[in-house]
Amino acid sequence: MIPLPLLQQREIEASVIAPLFRAFVAEVGEQRAREIVGGVIRELARQAGCAAAAGGNDLAHLKEVVAKWTEGGALELTVLRDDAEAFEFNVTRCRFAEMYARLGLAELGGLLSCARDATMIDGFNPEITFERTQTIMDGAPHCDFRYRKG
């Protein structure tokens, strides 16, 4: 089976998760629903990080992972630093955010996509630190991704 581009995967996931999330909200309230769904999403991200590390888990291999995130123009990046100690970039266009908005799910985009990033790197290589202070999903002009050897 040919793997789908990540943007397409997230759209399919959103079409399933959104109605489940709304049902959880009706039963347990929004805060608890976010905790439950967020926990599942983070665990999936950790597992994806572990799987991605099978071919190597250094910064050079991380760049290969990030390249998959950009497939089909899903993300547009400006690389700020790319060396043995750090891989830093800004996302200047996020079609994930655009997709969630188009689906009427903008309020879930951060939970379903952005919340994965920190946990993914823990699964990939816990010695790489990740910092991000803003996201397009939350209304910022760009997302600031900073990966550094720990």
Side-chain angles (χ1 to χ4, degrees):
M1 181 168 33
I2 298 171
L4 297 173
L6 190 57
L7 181 61
Q8 192 174 3
Q9 289 177 39
R10 293 293 177 264
E11 185 165 353
I12 293 166
E13 291 171 2
S15 70
V16 174
I17 294 171
L20 289 171
F21 178 79
R22 289 184 190 111
F24 289 157
V25 168
E27 292 294 321
V28 300
E30 185 167 353
Q31 181 178 343
R32 184 68 183 126
R34 284 184 174 277
E35 291 168 2
I36 293 167
V37 171
V40 171
I41 294 294
R42 286 187 302 278
E43 177 55 23
L44 291 171
R46 188 194 64 73
Q47 291 173 14
C50 290
N57 69 348
D58 58 11
L59 288 173
H61 287 94
L62 178 62
K63 288 185 281 189
E64 294 174 16
V65 172
V66 171
K68 290 181 188 274
W69 299 347
T70 67
E71 287 177 348
L75 298 176
E76 294 178 10
L77 311 179
T78 301
V79 176
L80 305 172
R81 183 175 174 189
D82 181 0
D83 58 43
E85 299 300 315
F87 181 47
E88 302 179 355
F89 58 89
N90 289 339
V91 173
T92 55
R93 181 177 182 195
C94 177
R95 289 187 54 210
F96 294 93
E98 294 168 14
M99 177 266 298
Y100 289 115
R102 176 177 48 80
L103 296 175
L105 302 172
E107 76 284 356
L108 291 179
L111 180 67
L112 300 180
S113 280
C114 304
R116 297 172 186 257
D117 298 331
T119 308
M120 185 286 299
I121 202 65
D122 287 341
F124 182 80
N125 183 340
E127 294 181 14
I128 295 176
T129 63
F130 170 69
E131 181 181 357
R132 184 182 55 222
T133 63
Q134 62 184 29
T135 65
I136 292 171
M137 201 81 71
D138 285 333
H142 68 273
C143 309
D144 54 343
F145 283 72
R146 307 296 184 259
Y147 296 100
R148 295 183 187 95
K149 284 177 66 173

